[in-house]
Amino acid sequence: MSRFSECFFLVFGQLAVGGAIGLAVPPFRALDRGFYRSSGGIFAGFAIAFVAADGLLLWQGHGIYGRGSLAFALWLAFTGLFVAYVAMLWGERARERARVFAATLLSGLIALAASGIGFLPPAFHGPAAWLYPIPFVTAAATLGAVATGMLLGHWYLIDLGLSIEPLARLLRFFMWATLVHLLVLLGFLAVAALTGGAPAAAATDLVTNYRILFLARILLGPVPALAIGWLIHRTLQIPQTMAATGLFYVAILFVMVGEMLGRLVLYQTGLPL
């Protein structure tokens, strides 16, 4: 039961890391600092929620010094840095704040990779084992891009004179991140199938016994998210930021459904799809 919960709670950690990535996309000076305070606070809240849940599971399942304690320590460091960055947005120490943000991004990626490796089945070997953390990172980038885009769309209701470019830039990042994530998912499945042994057996199990789940994960996740992204692109050409924000809501639903199905694939087969 602990492993099942860990699979799904990881989405909160991915949202936190992805949110930090998303905040790095628009130029800092192009937006009011209030956007970074509010959005950064939301993503830092996801980090706090994940650390609280993961710490509770770690305590109940393995003891605080058991398996997973290193990853938990990395998540604690990431969360502390993220909270510190958000707090520094009320000050004027720009150079120190930039360093803390860079450390936040780096520590988040390391923590996410460490958590991903924690799900690696012992029997996995070769390229499937070496590439195992990558889908976790690309998923985080996609989640963060769509969530940050939705939050930035709301900011246009506050800053009426804001240029459309920051939102268009986030949309481009979301489209590329989603496309790369889709290719990573399919590529990892192909690598697992070609690796042989346990990875190939897991890939075969997915496309035979769990083929409906696999198809749903792809067709209800990144594929429709890309289609919605194209609609957002067309909407921003009008430009109509309110309609684009509404479409970001639809996009984040597809991305979240896809990732939740991906965590079910992870639990059932051990494949990080």
Side-chain angles (χ1 to χ4, degrees), residues 100-153:
V100 170
F101 183 70
T104 301
L105 275 174
L106 180 60
S107 62
L109 291 172
I110 294 173
L112 183 56
S115 284
I117 292 173
F119 290 101
L120 178 66
F124 272 36
H125 62 278
W130 306 334
L131 302 174
Y132 199 83
I134 295 178
F136 294 98
V137 175
T138 56
T142 303
L143 281 165
V146 69
T148 309
M150 183 188 68
L151 292 170
L152 180 56

Side-chain angles (χ1 to χ4, degrees), residues 23 39 95 121-122 151 161 164 196 203 207 217 245:
L23 290 176
S39 301
R95 182 174 298 179
L151 292 170
I164 201 72
V207 298
R217 195 268 174 269
T245 304

Side-chain angles (χ1 to χ4, degrees), residues 14-25:
Q14 289 175 303
L15 264 170
V17 176
I21 296 172
L23 290 176
V25 174

Side-chain angles (χ1 to χ4, degrees), residues 19-20 23-24 26 28 33 35-41 43-44 77-91 93-105:
L23 290 176
F28 183 81
R33 201 180 299 182
F35 167 73
Y36 291 94
R37 291 169 181 163
S38 58
S39 301
F43 292 129
F78 163 70
T79 303
L81 286 167
F82 209 160
V83 171
Y85 167 72
V86 174
M88 293 178 73
L89 288 168
W90 272 267
R93 296 185 297 173
R95 182 174 298 179
E96 291 84 353
R97 185 174 62 237
R99 290 173 179 170
V100 170
F101 183 70
T104 301
L105 275 174

Side-chain angles (χ1 to χ4, degrees), residues 145-244:
V146 69
T148 309
M150 183 188 68
L151 292 170
L152 180 56
H154 286 88
W155 194 255
Y156 282 82
L157 299 174
I158 300 173
D159 191 347
L160 300 179
L162 182 61
S163 166
I164 201 72
E165 178 54 29
L167 189 58
R169 186 169 177 172
L170 259 172
L171 172 62
R172 290 193 294 270
F173 178 73
F174 165 63
M175 294 285 284
W176 277 110
T178 305
L179 179 60
V180 169
H181 183 46
L182 176 60
L183 295 176
V184 165
L185 295 181
L186 297 176
F188 185 88
L189 183 62
V191 168
L194 294 172
T195 298
T204 302
D205 188 33
L206 177 64
V207 298
T208 54
N209 298 325
Y210 297 102
R211 59 182 176 276
I212 301 300
L213 175 60
F214 171 64
L215 290 173
R217 195 268 174 269
I218 300 299
L219 299 179
L220 295 180
V223 170
L226 285 170
I228 298 299
W230 181 82
L231 291 177
I232 297 172
H233 166 71
R234 296 289 293 175
T235 303
L236 290 181
Q237 289 182 328
I238 298 176
Q240 178 52 262
T241 57
M242 291 182 65

